């Protein structure tokens, strides 16, 4: 990635020059290259009273494809390539080409052929991206979009119309929500979020899911009309848009043969029709929970072919955390360990 994708070249030159000046504990002055037009992204840096480098900000690309200035004053002015950040891999590529480099966080490989100057620093990490999470709960529509981003990070690059099709939300609503999320730093416009940002977003979403979104999904409890029916729940033929979550999904995704203590099911079917189809009757303390689907349905295939379809493991985990059952909390830990360590490292 080009350094100039994060900083204007002039700003980047100044940041890297000051960082390298601190590392070397000596003054570094910057000046134009002179009459030869090397471009706005090139400066002459003088280190102390003798050593000079031709500092340049490269165009985007890997080290082997760098677009470098065609002019150099002399062999006494070796090239110094300037970046906002040089990863270990990029540093290795640059050193293999014999190209000196320095970045804004302190990584540097600087070698001057006419002097004894030699600086090697690699391993300084890029500063963690700050996430400006709002103090108040986000509206339900915002939470719906954030959920889709968490389970499908690549949709951050989609247009508002494409997102509307994915989420079944009106394009005007999606556009309004996106503007708000981008302004709050919760959505990266045209870029897939980093693992750190996804982790922070996932933590935020889990903390607010119950009060902000879940309680608006027409949650109602039922019991089985035939008490013995729950022992054969896994043989039910679910309608196309129905997905298990909570304990029922966890039992399938963790390949547990026991009957769950409670059942959570998402569907867009009319509630009375769905309850009749499944053989359920309303009961305020029932162990079957029906909710309206709020997400784009991408079922997670269970580990054993032929088992019922399940919601994404992240939503299964969220529903387990919302449950008051001790069995749900134990299953949540197992789901996290098996499916969510990349999204939510321990």
């Amino acid at each position: 990635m080009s350094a100039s994708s994060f900083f204007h070249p002039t700003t980047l030159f100044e940041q890297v020059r000051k960082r390298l000046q601190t590392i070397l504990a000596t003054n570094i002055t910057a000046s134009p290259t002179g009459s030869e037009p090397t471009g706005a992204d090139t400066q002459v840096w003088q280190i102390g009273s003798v050593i000079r480098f031709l500092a340049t900000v490269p165009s985007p690309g890997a080290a082997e494809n760098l677009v470098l200035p065609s002019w150099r004053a002399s062999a006494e002015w070796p090239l110094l390539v300037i970046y906002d950040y040089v990863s270990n891999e990029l540093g290795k590529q640059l050193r293999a080409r014999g190209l000196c480099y320095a970045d804004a966080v302190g990584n540097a490989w600087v070698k001057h052929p006419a002097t004894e100057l030699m600086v090697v620093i690699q391993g300084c990490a890029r500063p963690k991206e700050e996430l400006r999470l709002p103090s108040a709960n986000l509206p339900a529509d915002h939470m719906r979009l954030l959920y889709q981003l968490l389970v499908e990070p690549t949709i951050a690059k989609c247009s508002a119309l494409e997102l509307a099709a994915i989420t079944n939300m009106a394009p005007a609503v999606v556009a309004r929500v996106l503007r708000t999320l981008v302004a709050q730093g919760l959505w990266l416009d045209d870029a897939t979020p980093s693992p750190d940002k996804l982790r922070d977003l996932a933590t935020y979403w889990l903390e607010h899911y119950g009060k902000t979104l879940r309680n608006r999904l027409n949650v109602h409890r039922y019991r089985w009309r035939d008490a013995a029916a729950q022992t054969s729940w896994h043989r039910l033929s679910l309608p196309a848009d129905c997905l298990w979550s909570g304990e029922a999904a966890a039992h399938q995704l963790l390949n547990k043969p026991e009957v769950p203590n409670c059942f959570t099911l998402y569907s867009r079917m009319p509630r009375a029709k769905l309850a009749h189809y499944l053989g359920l009757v309303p009961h305020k303390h029932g162990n079957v929970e029906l909710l309206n689907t709020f997400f784009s349905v991408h079922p997670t295939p269970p580990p054993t072919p032929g088992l019922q379809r399940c919601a994404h493991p992240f939503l299964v985990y969220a529903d387990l955390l919302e449950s008051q059952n001790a069995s749900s909390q134990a299953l949540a830990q197992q789901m996290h360990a098996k499916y969510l360590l990349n999204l939510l490292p321990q």
Side-chain angles (χ1 to χ4, degrees), residues 103 111 126 132 231 301:
D103 69 15
K111 183 178 181 180
R126 186 196 293 271
R132 303 186 303 276
T231 61

Side-chain angles (χ1 to χ4, degrees), residues 82-99:
I82 302 302
Y83 285 89
D84 73 305
Y85 175 68
V86 175
S87 65
N88 289 336
E89 180 59 30
L90 178 57
K92 182 179 178 181
Q93 294 175 11
L94 291 167
R95 293 192 298 273
R97 286 193 59 184
L99 291 172

Side-chain angles (χ1 to χ4, degrees), residues 252-253 300-310 339:
Q252 297 205 61
L253 295 174
T300 301
T304 303
L307 294 183
Q308 296 287 356
R309 304 187 318 163
C310 302
Y339 291 101

Side-chain angles (χ1 to χ4, degrees), residues 161-311:
L161 284 176
E162 291 170 328
L163 286 171
I166 292 171
T167 59
N168 295 311
M169 297 168 66
V173 173
V174 171
R176 184 183 71 246
V177 171
L178 281 180
R179 286 194 297 270
T180 303
L181 294 178
V182 170
Q184 292 177 325
L186 294 172
W187 191 275
L188 296 180
D189 199 13
D190 297 328
T192 301
S194 67
D196 283 346
K197 173 156 281 195
L198 283 175
R199 181 199 62 222
D200 291 342
L201 286 176
T203 301
Y204 175 87
W205 196 91
L206 289 170
E207 290 174 354
H208 295 81
Y209 166 57
K211 294 181 180 179
T212 302
L213 179 57
R214 198 177 197 275
N215 62 358
R216 300 188 181 189
L217 300 178
N218 193 25
V219 184
H220 284 93
R221 290 192 169 274
Y222 298 78
R223 64 170 177 82
W224 301 97
R225 180 179 289 111
D226 178 1
Q230 70 178 17
T231 61
S232 58
W233 69 278
H234 55 283
R235 290 197 290 270
L236 284 171
S237 178
L238 291 181
D241 76 333
C242 293
L243 293 177
W244 291 112
S245 187
E247 287 202 18
H251 273 243
Q252 297 205 61
L253 295 174
L254 297 171
N255 206 18
K256 291 181 175 293
E258 304 90 355
V259 176
N261 290 321
C262 53
F263 302 82
T264 301
L265 188 68
Y266 286 90
S267 177
R268 293 192 177 96
M269 282 184 66
R271 190 59 56 83
K273 182 178 180 181
L274 178 61
H276 176 75
Y277 179 88
L278 296 174
L280 303 173
V281 293
H283 192 287
K284 66 178 181 179
H285 299 302
N287 67 343
V288 182
E289 191 178 40
L290 301 183
L291 302 89
N292 292 341
T293 302
F294 68 91
F295 47 87
S296 177
V297 177
H298 294 291
T300 301
T304 303
L307 294 183
Q308 296 287 356
R309 304 187 318 163
C310 302

Side-chain angles (χ1 to χ4, degrees), residues 74-85:
S74 70
E76 295 180 2
W77 292 12
L79 206 61
L80 179 63
V81 189
I82 302 302
Y83 285 89
D84 73 305
Y85 175 68

Side-chain angles (χ1 to χ4, degrees), residues 4-34:
S4 56
S5 63
F6 290 93
F7 300 100
H8 185 277
T10 303
T11 303
L12 181 62
F13 274 129
E14 189 65 9
Q15 289 203 3
V16 177
R17 185 185 66 80
K18 289 182 177 179
R19 175 69 69 173
L20 190 58
Q21 188 170 257
T22 300
I23 293 171
L24 297 175
T26 190
N27 189 50
I28 300 177
T29 58
S31 60
T33 53

